[in-house]
Amino acid sequence: MTNRLADTLSPYLRAHAENPVDWYPWGPEAFAEAQRRDVPLLISIGYSTCHWCHVMARESFADPAIAALIDEGFVAVKVDREEHPDVDGAYMAAASAFTQSLGWPLTVFATPRGRAFYAGTYWPPEPRPPMPSFREVLAAVREAWTLRRAQAEESADAVSAALARATGSAPSDLPTAADLAAAATAIAHREDRVHGGFGGAPKFPVATALSFLQTPLVRREAPEAAAAAERALLAMVGSELRDRDGGFFRYATQRDWTVPHYERMLTDNAQLLDVALASGDDATAEGVVSFLRGSLRREGGGFGAAQDSESWIDGTRSEGGYYARTAQERAGLEPPEVDGKIITGWNGLAIGALSRAGARLGESTWIDAAAEAAESVLRANRAPDGRLVRTSLAGIPSSAAATASDLALLADGLFALALARGEVSWAVTARELLDQALAGVAGDPLLSAQGIAASPDHSDGDLPSDASAVAAAALTAWRLGAGERYREAASEIVRVHGAASVAQPFAHGSMLRAAAGLVDPPRQVVAVTSAPDGPLAVAARAADAEAVAVVSPAQARAFAEAGFELFEGKDAVPERVHDCRAFVGRLPVSDPAEVVATR
């Protein structure tokens, strides 16, 4: 029996298409059916490379008896959290009222209007005390809805109201250099001095926090905190968290970075590429690029969302078995599947990292890969009306709209590609996307229609939040001379979230990085030369600066004519490097030896 999920674009949903459960994809049809039957919604949220999502699918959703219990008492909805991050965020926030063990698979029971009245994560098919069985949970929830419905609805309304109240934040002053140094020190206090990294088990790369610790401000004002980031990267590089092909796993289940959770995410690896580049670890950067291009790159040039933790070995599903093999042993095995969704913002992270790494290390093929990914996203991830969508699969766009972070992360990646290639067209497209994000992006329309509050959580977890992503892209636009309004936009965002970020720095690394970019004046280096691979260009690309561009006189003129004032007048005398500090230009130099690499 094939259910409704067979016609969806999500690999995660398609994997459940043969379940005996009468699944609905996220959409108004499921809500309408729940209201017609007057039964609760069972909303199951996960993603295709999630090991425990696979386990619950095999144990419960493939079981005809459990499927019958679901279909009798509920309308079942399957959601890919990577395709619908707003939905995942809203229900994850609601679930926190019922359990502290948050994660995926996330199982939410909601009223026919979609308001959560109970939630949990993985439940086994049989009791494993103190964990009840999924059968027992289904029976208990159905009984509560039938016999104590008023209490369930009251609980749902209370949770919804609390979340709605929590979404507001009052602006405050911008964090100062001292505030940011204190925040960095607070992060460093969480360092595991024995094994490196932060916290205990499970242990995550937290690339968002590492990137903040690598900022010039932290290196200057809190050098010991900056050193903690270097030690964390060194520990990860030499641990089981890094696979033989150079890619990093999602996290380690043990404090000493052993026993990884074997899924490999585009988000983690793209950001760790930037971390390695900032650390001067060229070998690690090369390894990550090899993984991105060798494993995650899809036909057409875009990058898939993740590589699975499981694969088939000797006819059975094995978690991590493939990765435990040597390179020679792997040659005879089918590698774990890649979730081929081309997610707009996640590809933006990869485009930016590949562009920066390729420019810095003189690897033009990496920049070519970034350009191919950009072309793929801008071509395939579009709705019929031309607006960008969240994701596509095999060239077919999803109906899920792009989020603010999708637009901003892609914009920031395109700005980096423009600088790496000296082609202003990428920067013009980036500015258009950023302007859309700044104008405001509507959340999930079904959540809005049902009056379900968006998540109040604006923290930076495994990737920047919407707000952090927009602030970062706005800062990039300002540094390229696109106008003071972009700095003002970034300042406004940081004022709203700055106090919370300083109070809980480990959870707000990307926002703190944006705040640091507002405190420290930028350094911008522009080399105008007809020899893009010559000594002058090489010297410029080695400079420690927020913006580095190598352009011909004609390209400099094109940037200036497009409204990027950093390039204004720099086409007049070629074969010069312009070193601007806080928008004040030093005398241009023509000798590569006179280009200062350090700040």
Side-chain angles (χ1 to χ4, degrees):
M1 181 184 74
T2 302
N3 59 43
R4 298 173 189 83
L5 303 186
D7 296 327
T8 64
L9 286 179
S10 163
Y12 174 63
L13 268 59
R14 288 182 177 183
H16 293 77
E18 300 299 325
N19 289 168
V21 179
D22 188 23
W23 290 113
Y24 282 79
W26 177 258
E29 294 81 6
F31 280 71
E33 180 64 9
Q35 291 164 19
R36 184 189 70 80
R37 290 177 54 196
D38 196 28
V39 297
L41 291 157
L42 187 163
I43 303 171
S44 176
I45 303 174
Y47 56 106
S48 70
T49 58
C50 165
H51 170 65
W52 287 103
C53 298
H54 296 326
V55 172
M56 192 165 180
R58 289 192 291 265
E59 292 179 341
S60 294
F61 299 139
D63 185 323
I66 293 179
L69 293 175
I70 294 173
D71 293 343
E72 287 170 11
F74 308 89
V75 169
V77 182
K78 185 57 87 169
V79 180
D80 184 336
R81 68 175 293 260
E82 295 172 348
E83 186 177 20
H84 295 283
D86 289 347
V87 176
D88 176 57
Y91 284 114
M92 186 63 73
S96 66
F98 306 102
T99 178
Q100 293 182 336
S101 300
L102 296 174
W104 300 276
L106 180 63
T107 309
V108 180
F109 296 95
T111 69
R113 292 178 56 205
R115 300 191 174 200
F117 64 87
Y118 188 63
T121 52
Y122 164 82
W123 281 297
E126 304 296 338
R128 297 175 192 167
M131 191 183 298
S133 72
F134 190 40
R135 288 183 176 88
E136 292 171 330
V137 172
L138 292 170
V141 171
R142 187 174 182 185
E143 178 183 290
W145 181 256
T146 303
L147 302 180
R148 297 181 298 279
R149 177 168 177 170
Q151 291 176 260
E153 290 183 328
E154 182 179 348
S155 175
D157 289 342
V159 170
S160 181
L163 292 174
R165 289 193 300 270
T167 55
S169 298
S172 60
D173 293 335
L174 288 173
T176 64
D179 294 332
L180 295 169
T185 300
I187 293 174
H189 283 162
R190 300 180 58 155
E191 183 183 11
D192 180 346
R193 285 300 190 121
V194 177
H195 301 293
F198 303 95
K203 186 171 282 184
F204 289 80
V206 288
T208 50
L210 296 181
S211 292
F212 165 57
L213 296 181
Q214 291 180 314
T215 58
L217 185 148
V218 174
R219 295 203 308 260
R220 183 183 67 248
E221 302 291 338
E224 182 54 29
E230 301 302 313
R231 290 191 289 269
L233 178 63
L234 186 64
M236 288 187 286
V237 167
S239 76
E240 294 179 16
L241 191 75
R242 188 186 187 211
D243 188 37
R244 291 179 174 85
D245 67 0
F248 286 89
F249 297 112
R250 181 71 189 92
Y251 62 88
T253 63
Q254 304 301 309
R255 177 188 164 195
D256 62 356
W257 298 106
T258 58
V259 194
H261 187 62
Y262 288 101
E263 60 184 319
R264 299 199 286 181
M265 311 296 293
L266 174 60
T267 49
D268 295 322
N269 283 278
Q271 291 177 98
L272 288 172
L273 172 54
D274 269 331
V275 170
L277 187 68
S279 183
D281 187 345
D282 297 353
T284 296
E286 290 168 5
V288 174
V289 173
S290 176
F291 164 66
L292 293 177
R293 296 175 66 197
S295 297
L296 291 190
R297 187 182 183 277
R298 302 290 89 189
E299 184 177 355
F303 293 97
Q307 187 171 29
D308 209 332
S309 62
E310 296 186 1
S311 63
W312 290 100
I313 297 179
D314 297 330
T316 60
R317 293 291 284 177
S318 169
E319 186 197 9
Y322 175 86
Y323 300 110
R325 268 49 173 190
T326 65
Q328 185 176 1
E329 290 171 331
R330 286 184 189 185
L333 297 175
E334 186 71 22
E337 291 184 1
V338 170
D339 182 334
K341 294 195 309 296
I342 308 300
I343 299 177
T344 297
W346 297 14
N347 272 259
L349 286 170
I351 292 164
L354 284 167
S355 298
R356 286 182 286 269
R360 171 64 67 87
L361 301 181
E363 297 284 355
S364 61
T365 57
W366 299 2
I367 303 172
D368 292 343
E372 290 168 5
E375 291 165 353
S376 173
V377 172
L378 292 171
R379 179 180 63 251
N381 289 24
R382 290 197 182 275
D385 62 4
R387 62 185 172 82
L388 275 177
V389 297
R390 168 73 174 171
T391 182
S392 65
L393 183 69
I396 302 173
S398 164
S399 60
T403 65
S405 64
D406 282 322
L407 298 175
L409 292 174
L410 180 58
D412 217 23
L414 295 181
F415 279 134
L417 179 57
L419 294 179
R421 279 212 157 169
E423 296 175 1
V424 70
S425 60
W426 297 115
V428 171
T429 301
R431 186 175 55 194
E432 292 171 353
L433 295 175
L434 175 57
D435 286 344
Q436 292 176 34
L438 289 170
V441 176
D444 183 86
L446 187 52
L447 291 177
S448 300
Q450 299 296 329
I452 300 171
S455 171
D457 183 13
H458 297 286
S459 62
D460 307 309
D462 55 346
L463 74 168
S465 67
D466 282 2
S468 298
V470 175
L475 274 174
T476 301
W478 169 65
R479 290 164 179 158
L480 297 185
E484 190 65 21
R485 72 182 181 93
Y486 291 104
R487 187 186 191 281
E488 293 170 356
S491 297
E492 183 179 345
I493 293 170
V494 174
R495 287 182 192 279
V496 171
H497 302 286
S501 301
V502 169
Q504 295 181 308
F506 192 70
H508 295 86
S510 295
M511 185 61 68
L512 292 171
R513 182 177 177 86
L518 290 166
V519 172
D520 263 7
R523 182 188 183 192
Q524 303 124 304
V525 175
V526 179
V528 182
T529 174
S530 298
D533 298 318
L536 203 61
V538 171
R541 291 190 178 107
D544 181 10
E546 279 75 20
V548 176
V550 176
V551 291
S552 68
Q555 289 173 328
R557 190 160 52 251
F559 270 95
E561 290 172 352
F564 295 97
E565 294 181 358
L566 174 63
F567 299 85
E568 191 72 44
K570 291 183 172 61
D571 63 310
V573 181
E575 308 309 318
R576 296 288 188 276
V577 172
H578 303 260
D579 191 345
C580 301
R581 313 288 180 103
F583 291 97
V584 176
R586 299 184 175 189
L587 286 175
V589 299
S590 57
D591 184 352
E594 295 182 38
V595 179
V596 180
T598 58
R599 289 178 180 265

